[in-house]
Amino acid sequence: GIQVEQSPPDLILQEGANSTLRCNFSDSVNNLQWFHQNPWGQLINLFYIPSGTKQNGRLSATTVATERYSLLYISSSQTTDSGVYFCAVNGGATNKLIFGTGTLLAVQP
Amino acid sequence: NAGVTQTPKFRILKIGQSMTLQCTQDMNHNYMYWYRQDPGMGLKLIYYSVGAGITDKGEVPNGYNVSRSTTEDFPLRLELAAPSQTSVYFCASSYPGQGVDEQYFGPGTRLTVT
């Protein structure tokens, strides 16, 4: 099956800093989503981005499907950005998502 | 729209007990899913359904059962709970029409089996 790898596994930032999170996947995909899991465990949809670039406020994402990776950019980070960021892909006949192991982000004031 | 709702939020079970985790969505999505998340890990698919009356196994189905009698509801049944089923359970739904299949998740149920 498809393998999903995320990097870095952990990241500590000072408030106001920028960061880039990476998601590599091992096969072509039909669907790619980025999620933020906040410290209370809630999964928040950030982007549905099987290809191309999208922006939403301080966050943006780019997926280069032909090279099998996606990037999540966080600019001017805030303490509320803390949590775990997951990339998840679906490349098969079914619609099930395969999750990466996540990037744990801590933004310090 | 409440989106995807799950009950209960928390539950402690003794080994060998049974319970049903409830999931309801009000978005008229035909696809629904159950995932589990173990500490420090990503989510893994337990079961999914592409419509009422149709269910299929995911990656980790052992020890669970599901049913889908309506579009809105997708309960997950645990029979003979075991400590290995201690996890956070997430329900999700999607509508893969017009080429967009974005999944939306409920708030989760935290289950401890002791």
Side-chain angles (χ1 to χ4, degrees):
Chain A
I2 294 177
Q3 304 297 314
V4 183
E5 294 182 354
Q6 292 186 242
S7 60
D10 306 284
L11 186 58
I12 300 175
L13 297 176
Q14 290 299 122
E15 205 167 20
N18 303 327
S19 63
T20 301
L21 282 56
R22 187 177 179 103
C23 172
N24 292 334
F25 42 95
S26 60
D27 206 342
S28 57
V29 298
N30 302 322
N31 172 8
L32 188 146
Q33 290 185 242
W34 282 98
F35 297 91
H36 174 212
Q37 188 167 39
N38 64 22
W40 295 270
Q42 185 182 7
L43 276 169
I44 299 164
N45 289 37
L46 296 178
F47 294 102
Y48 173 86
I49 187 166
S51 64
T53 297
K54 290 186 178 179
Q55 180 156 9
N56 184 3
R58 296 181 295 104
L59 302 182
S60 63
T62 295
T63 298
V64 184
T66 53
E67 297 188 21
R68 300 180 184 167
Y69 72 90
S70 183
L71 301 174
L72 177 69
Y73 305 96
I74 305 174
S75 65
S76 303
S77 59
Q78 301 176 356
T79 56
T80 51
D81 294 332
S82 297
V84 182
Y85 289 80
F86 287 106
C87 165
V89 304
N90 160 25
T94 63
N95 294 66
K96 62 182 182 182
L97 286 176
I98 306 297
F99 280 74
T101 52
T103 292
L104 176 60
L105 174 65
V107 181
Q108 298 178 338
Chain B
N1 264 357
V4 180
T5 56
Q6 294 182 235
T7 57
K9 287 186 169 55
F10 305 94
R11 183 72 186 268
I12 298 174
L13 281 182
K14 294 189 185 304
I15 294 171
Q17 288 185 322
S18 301
M19 76 164 295
T20 299
L21 282 66
Q22 301 292 345
C23 174
T24 300
Q25 54 90 13
D26 63 358
M27 297 176 283
N28 203 30
H29 286 173
N30 53 337
Y31 282 52
M32 295 186 75
Y33 314 82
W34 275 105
Y35 294 86
R36 60 176 284 174
Q37 184 180 27
D38 297 330
M41 305 293 288
L43 282 69
K44 292 187 177 180
L45 184 68
I46 306 171
Y47 270 95
Y48 67 100
S49 168
V50 300
I54 306 170
T55 63
D56 207 347
K57 295 178 181 178
E59 189 179 355
V60 289
N62 291 344
Y64 307 95
N65 280 301
V66 293
S67 60
R68 183 95 180 271
S69 57
T70 67
T71 299
E72 296 78 19
D73 301 306
F74 190 40
L76 177 71
R77 178 82 178 162
L78 278 72
E79 304 282 2
L80 298 175
S84 60
Q85 293 178 304
T86 293
S87 191
V88 181
Y89 292 84
F90 289 96
C91 179
S93 71
S94 69
Y95 178 74
Q98 300 179 340
V100 176
D101 183 26
E102 185 172 2
Q103 293 190 22
Y104 296 86
F105 284 76
T109 293
R110 187 175 296 274
L111 176 67
T112 301
V113 182
T114 63

